[in-house]
Amino acid sequence: MARIGFVGTGIMGTPMVMNLIKGGHQVQVWNRTLSKLKGLEEAGAKACHQLSEVGKDVELLIVMLSDGKTCDEVLFQPAGAVSELKKNSIVIVMSSIPVETAKHQNERCLSLGLRYLDAPVSGGEKGAKDATLAIMAGGEEATFTEAQAVLNCMGRAVLVGAAGCGELAKLVNQMIVASTIATVAEGLLFAQQGGANPHKVKQALTGGFADSPILQQHGDRILRQNFEPGGAATTQLKDTHTAVNYAKELNLKLPIAELVNQLFSDMVHNGDGALDHSGLIREIKRLNNIEI
């Protein structure tokens, strides 16, 4: 059993905390909106009213926030989340943030006598609820080994390299997710406009090489036109934009990633940023002057 501080109890963070509690760990939680902590309190978590309290007397501090800037502010501001951490405690940032931000956070934690892992996740709200998240960790092997049992309460954790490499792996994940959503959307529209039943096409592809969780889950969303966000288009754009920019730093040209990033940028520009990323079908219809 570990004592854990957890910052950020939104769509992903709340079920992640629930699974930590189910795993027998003691968890204390903080969120800017205190009302979001009520259900977790009822499940056995301790609600912290002050940010500094979340790191008091814990062995691990987990952060699940929206972006790198927010993580930096919450972690390192005066009386921030790390201010009460004991030396040698482990800080685990599970947010999707830029690679360089993770590297800088690691350096800052080391300067404070703390250990650090960047461990972003994939699997969405369903994966968070089912404790089946893919967790991509970057950091020291000994630190990962110590934290692995806690991480595995939330999914399947794999160490992929040094600090920052977890975020790099997440960018790879997001590139593949974004481009596959675009291809599934194009394929189903292609089938429909060509005269086939797109529902039956999806059924026919099931079990073949083109099958995937994205075809099944997001293909279903596309066919039902249900774009209530599990993963918002704005979040997808944040990650594809980060990937394209980091590729430029590495002197890499990634033409598919660049094209898909532009599609999501146009989708957000045209007012669909709050929709699920499978709503990209709407942008492809706009390009073809097809009624949405």
Side-chain angles (χ1 to χ4, degrees):
M1 180 188 73
R3 291 181 58 87
I4 302 166
F6 199 106
V7 176
T9 56
I11 290 174
M12 297 291 289
T14 292
M16 291 164 74
V17 171
M18 292 295 288
N19 285 317
L20 290 171
I21 294 170
K22 290 175 185 176
H25 300 292
Q26 293 184 7
V27 188
Q28 50 198 48
V29 292
W30 180 87
N31 193 294
R32 278 197 175 95
T33 307
L34 286 174
S35 60
K36 291 185 177 181
L37 303 180
K38 185 177 180 181
L40 292 174
E41 273 192 290
E42 292 171 353
K46 175 187 174 183
C48 298
H49 290 226
Q50 300 296 324
L51 177 57
S52 60
E53 295 174 16
V54 77
K56 191 171 183 179
D57 298 322
V58 301
E59 302 154 57
L60 303 98
L61 175 69
I62 297 175
V63 179
M64 191 63 179
L65 296 168
S66 58
D67 55 54
K69 181 182 178 183
T70 305
C71 289
D72 281 344
E73 289 174 353
V74 167
L75 284 169
F76 302 117
Q77 65 178 274
V82 303
S83 61
E84 294 290 335
L85 282 178
K86 296 177 182 177
K87 300 292 184 185
N88 213 38
S89 298
I90 301 174
V91 175
I92 307 175
V93 174
M94 303 188 77
S95 310
S96 295
I97 61 177
V99 175
E100 290 303 320
T101 301
K103 290 180 178 180
H104 291 150
Q105 288 177 354
N106 176 58
E107 292 169 2
R108 193 152 183 189
C109 283
L110 290 176
S111 72
L112 296 171
L114 304 171
R115 294 177 289 163
Y116 179 89
L117 294 172
D118 56 297
V121 304
S122 178
E125 184 180 3
K126 186 178 187 301
K129 288 180 177 178
D130 296 343
T132 57
L133 292 170
I135 302 172
M136 301 147 271
E140 295 292 330
E141 185 172 358
T143 303
F144 173 76
T145 299
E146 189 172 329
Q148 189 171 12
V150 168
L151 292 172
N152 284 344
C153 287
M154 299 175 283
R156 178 180 55 84
V158 177
L159 182 68
V160 298
C165 288
E167 300 299 342
L168 181 58
K170 179 60 187 287
L171 291 179
V172 172
N173 179 86
Q174 294 302 83
M175 288 165 58
I176 293 171
V177 167
S179 61
T180 306
I181 285 175
T183 302
V184 167
E186 286 187 351
L188 293 176
L189 182 63
F190 183 45
Q192 178 180 304
Q193 296 301 109
N197 182 329
H199 296 267
K200 292 296 184 180
V201 170
K202 175 177 170 288
Q203 182 181 345
L205 296 179
T206 299
F209 274 4
D211 200 5
S212 69
I214 290 176
L215 176 63
Q216 294 304 322
Q217 295 178 30
H218 292 299
D220 185 62
R221 283 176 174 268
I222 289 167
L223 292 172
R224 292 188 293 113
Q225 299 185 68
N226 173 20
F227 303 127
E228 182 179 346
T234 49
T235 302
Q236 183 71 76
L237 177 60
K238 170 180 72 74
D239 292 336
T240 56
H241 184 71
T242 299
V244 167
N245 283 344
Y246 192 58
K248 289 177 181 176
E249 291 181 28
L250 300 175
N251 294 315
L252 286 175
K253 185 167 181 62
L254 303 177
I256 294 174
E258 291 172 10
L259 176 59
V260 173
N261 181 63
Q262 187 60 56
L263 281 171
F264 276 104
S265 179
D266 292 343
M267 176 184 174
V268 171
H269 176 75
N270 286 321
D272 285 346
L275 300 182
D276 187 81
H277 44 183
S278 58
L280 187 66
I281 182 67
R282 291 166 55 90
E283 191 57 39
I284 295 170
K285 285 183 176 180
R286 285 190 190 99
L287 287 172
N288 288 282
N289 296 314
I290 296 172
E291 184 178 355
I292 296 174

